[in-house]
């Protein structure tokens, strides 16, 4: 009898160990719209690269969290000298790259020096421009000296473009990415899917997923049946016009969050008559933000009155500076002598630009302007608008995080030039005090809201759709990434 | 027959040469810098210059044209700018989807269209003819895209018989790969079948109206024998022409259907390469397609010669 009981006990124990009561699923198929050109985040601007590898395959000294906060990653902690120029990072030990080589201070020096080298093809080389020297103190300590203090330095190190790579694998990361993250690259069937598997010797908290597959579904119309049929269980950046077909279905969650994408009607400030404040004000008054949001983002965007993300603690709501007022717009146009002004609005091939363009054009016609819409491809947008500055106006979303400083850049495409604004950005670069930084950001926002170098439309929403039993995916997109480290099935 | 073949081959080679010039020139004047596209808005001028140098974009036009064409002659299609892998590997990967799909669709559409066309022609004006041609009319009118989505909702979302899209690759097994191609094959084949059935019917009716048919009938040949032995053979020439065109379309012109089923086919490769200014991929794949269209036309011409001996001297 006792033997029998013992036997049963052992059997039950064995059962409970081998099968933790109804083992939850450990695989996940995610849908992405764009296929990345390659998988090296330090050699390309495509957000599609970060969507696969950020936080999953590659890690940096710091990283950006779901709400845009800076978190320690491969650097466990750091100290900053009083003059704000010397950063000393204490690195995690016992970290291995996926090919088995060890991570240490030499890899950090290699990665940062490579990113800022003369022949570097890093798309955000500017992030590293203030670095003067990178010194290896010991295998677990790195000292970075800046030329000038830089308030956003820790944040900058959290970008995908600043991840740490190994000298042994840097050259082949495009095809076979080797990082220190919780997932290893497994395979890539071009045009079809990219697979990651759990890394067995990850230094941090182990991830719940064993396998993750990113499937490329380029068409919004195909994304809906892919989710409904269960072929794809999560679509973190879902085309917003397909949401209505899924919203009512309890098997799925539709999660709307924010992004760093300020969607603007940028004007060519160096070209008459857009160099006149009155003309730009008139255009701002003519636009009804809500109608643009309804038409171009299924009503999900957040109206903005300046170039700043609403989820940022330093955000000011300035949408009231130029409310929708066609009467005022007409009066200003008359004062400026711009009645019947012909202008072209160049539209890149995104939904928000093409649909938003139609609405804005009709609103501008309403107040006596004569807009013409010119749909163009991204390649043309980059060469005609961005590089050659050959445009009157364009609709585009600036998705880089915290990028209000673009208005201080010389020769940037919209040609805004305001020494007072430039001074604020210069002050921000050297200011480390959070309260003062917030104040400066506020001033910068107010100047842009008044000056309207661009008409500020809305913050691009992030619409995520996934299986209701899935948790841990990001609601917001402070950077365009799909961090899978906390993702698990709940049943 | 030998002279016929030689003349055709010479024309084909000249066409290829001309096509290579046109393709290269058109892509040269296309606005947009591939390096800028890859590095985006924040890229520094030095980073852009470094990348352009790496991609060989700084070399003179003629050097690049000669490097490209001499590569083509030795079957070296170059390296993709965006993927940085050999173009030939990309193309082979895509062909493993597009070629079986095109062949299956063409076979299916032929199997449907020719019997339907013959049936309709033999019952010209009767209910069967009106009905089948009415259906074909609907088939021609239905947009590919919409029909494909209809199939997805019916067979993948509602019945769950097949996946909604994607392609697991032949490495995942023959059946899963074939299963993924069932709906795309249907979506491509049915509209093509509708066109082909109408062409078959028209060609056959045309043939049946010829004098030699009347003569044959007057000699006492039976109605069905006239249809099958005399008229059908003559009607096959326009049908073969259309099939040749359809095959070329099915190989690379199906980007809309590939998008609905998110299949990694040739059509999407070209489409994506154009938007990303992956010029070397566009150039090489377009040349490959030109070559295959020329080859298909050559085969169609040869099939004329088989169908109709008079064509051999023409």
């Amino acid at each position: 009898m006792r033997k029998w009981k013992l036997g049963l006990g052992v059997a039950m124990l064995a059962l409970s160990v081998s099968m933790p009561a109804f083992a939850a699923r450990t695989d996940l198929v995610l849908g992405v719209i764009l296929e990345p050109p390659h998988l090296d985040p330090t050699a390309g601007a495509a957000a599609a690269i970060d969507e696969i590898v950020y936080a999953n395959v590659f890690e940096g000294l710091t990283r950006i969290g779901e709400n845009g906060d800076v978190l320690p990653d491969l650097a466990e902690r750091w100290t900053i000298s009083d003059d704000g120029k010397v950063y000393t990072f204490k690195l995690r030990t016992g970290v291995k790259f996926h090919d088995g080589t060890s991570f240490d201070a030499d890899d950090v020096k290699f990665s940062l020096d490579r990113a800022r080298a003369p022949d570097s093809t890093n798309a955000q080389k500017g992030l590293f421009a203030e670095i003067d020297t990178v010194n290896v103190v010991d295998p677990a300590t790195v000292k970075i000296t800046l030329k000038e203090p830089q308030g956003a330095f820790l944040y900058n190190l959290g970008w995908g473009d600043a991840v740490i790579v190994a000298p042994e694998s840097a050259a082949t990361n495009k095809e076979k990415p080797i990082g220190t993250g919780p997932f290893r690259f497994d395979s890539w069937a071009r045009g079809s899917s990219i697979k990651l598997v759990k890394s067995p010797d990850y230094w941090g908290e182990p991830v719940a997923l064993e396998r993750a597959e990113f499937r490329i579904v380029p068409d919004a119309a195909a994304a809906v049946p892919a989710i409904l049929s269960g072929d794809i269980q999560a679509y973190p950046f879902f085309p917003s016009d397909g949401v209505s077909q899924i919203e009512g279905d309890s098997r799925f969650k539709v999660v709307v969050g924010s992004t760093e994408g300020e969607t603007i009607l940028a004007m060519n400030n160096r070209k008459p008559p857009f160099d006149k404040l009155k003309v730009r004000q008139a255009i701002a008054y003519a636009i009804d933000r809500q109608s643009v949001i309804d038409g171009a983002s299924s009503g999900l965007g957040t109206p903005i009155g300046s170039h700043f993300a609403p989820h940022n603690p330093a955000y000011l709501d300035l949408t009231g500076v130029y409310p929708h007022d066609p009467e005022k717009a007409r009066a200003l146009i008359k004062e400026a002598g711009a009645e019947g002004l012909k202008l072209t609005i160049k539209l890149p091939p995104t939904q928000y630009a093409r649909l938003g363009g139609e609405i804005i054009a009709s609103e501008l016609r309403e107040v006596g302007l004569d807009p013409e819409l010119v749909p163009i491809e991204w390649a043309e947008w980059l060469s005609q608008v961005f590089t050659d500055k050959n445009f009157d106006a364009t609709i585009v979303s600036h998705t880089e995080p915290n990028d209000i400083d673009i208005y201080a850049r010389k020769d940037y495409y919209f040609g805004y030039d305001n020494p007072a604004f430039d001074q604020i950005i210069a002050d921000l670069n050297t200011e480390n005090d959070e309260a003062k930084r917030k104040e400066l950001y506020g001033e910068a926002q107010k100047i842009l809201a008044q000056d309207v170098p661009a008409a500020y439309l809305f913050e691009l929403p992030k619409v995520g759709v996934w299986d209701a039993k899935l948790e841990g995916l990001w609601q917001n997109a402070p950077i365009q990434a799909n961090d899978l480290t906390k993702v698990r099935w709940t049943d | 027959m030998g002279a016929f073949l030689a003349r055709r081959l010479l024309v084909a080679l000249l066409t290829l040469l001309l096509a290579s010039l046109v393709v290269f020139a058109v892509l040269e004047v296309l606005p947009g810098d591939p390096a800028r596209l890859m590095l985006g808005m924040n890229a520094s001028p030095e980073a852009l210059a470094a990348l352009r140098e790496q991609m060989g974009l700084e070399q003179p036009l003629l050097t690049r044209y000669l490097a490209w064409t001499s590569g083509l002659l030795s079957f070296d299609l170059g390296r993709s700018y965006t993927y940085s892998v050999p173009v030939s590997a990309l193309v082979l990967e895509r062909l493993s989807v597009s070629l079986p799909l095109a062949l299956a669709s063409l076979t299916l559409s032929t199997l449907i269209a020719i019997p339907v066309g013959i049936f309709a022609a033999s019952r010209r004006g009767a209910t069967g003819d009106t009905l089948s041609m009415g259906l074909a009319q609907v088939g021609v009118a239905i947009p590919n895209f919409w029909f494909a989505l209809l199939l997805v909702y019916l067979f993948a979302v509602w019945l769950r018989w097949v996946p909604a899209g994607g392609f697991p690759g032949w490495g995942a097994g023959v059946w899963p790969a074939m299963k993924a191609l069932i709906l795309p094959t249907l979506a491509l084949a049915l509209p093509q079948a509708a066109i082909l059935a109408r062409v078959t019917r028209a060609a056959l009716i045309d043939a049946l109206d010829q004098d030699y048919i009347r003569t044959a009938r007057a000699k006492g040949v039976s109605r069905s024998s006239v249809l099958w032995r005399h008229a059908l053979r003559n009607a096959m020439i326009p049908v073969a022409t259309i099939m040749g065109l359809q095959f070329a379309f099915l190989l690379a012109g199906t980007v809309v259907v590939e998008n609905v089923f998110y299949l990694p086919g040739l059509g999407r490769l070209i489409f994506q390469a154009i938007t990303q200014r992956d010029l070397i991929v566009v150039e090489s794949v377009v040349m490959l397609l030109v070559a295959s269209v020329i080859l298909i036309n050559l085969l169609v011409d040869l099939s004329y010669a088989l169908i109709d001996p008079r064509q051999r001297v023409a």
Side-chain angles (χ1 to χ4, degrees), chain A residues 316-331:
Chain A
L316 297 180
D317 184 354
L318 296 164
T319 50
V321 177
Y322 299 114
H324 181 218
D325 191 341
E327 279 312 311
K328 261 192 194 151
R330 254 178 242 122

Side-chain angles (χ1 to χ4, degrees), chain B residues 62-78:
Chain B
L62 190 64
T63 318
R64 278 163 44 213
Y65 175 74
L66 291 177
W68 173 58
T69 42
S70 61
L72 283 183
L73 289 177
S74 54
F75 294 100
D76 173 11
L77 304 184

Side-chain angles (χ1 to χ4, degrees), chain B residues 83-97:
Chain B
Y83 288 131
S84 49
V85 294
V87 177
S88 50
L90 277 180
V91 171
L92 282 179
E93 225 169 38
R94 300 302 174 109
L95 271 180
S96 78
V97 181

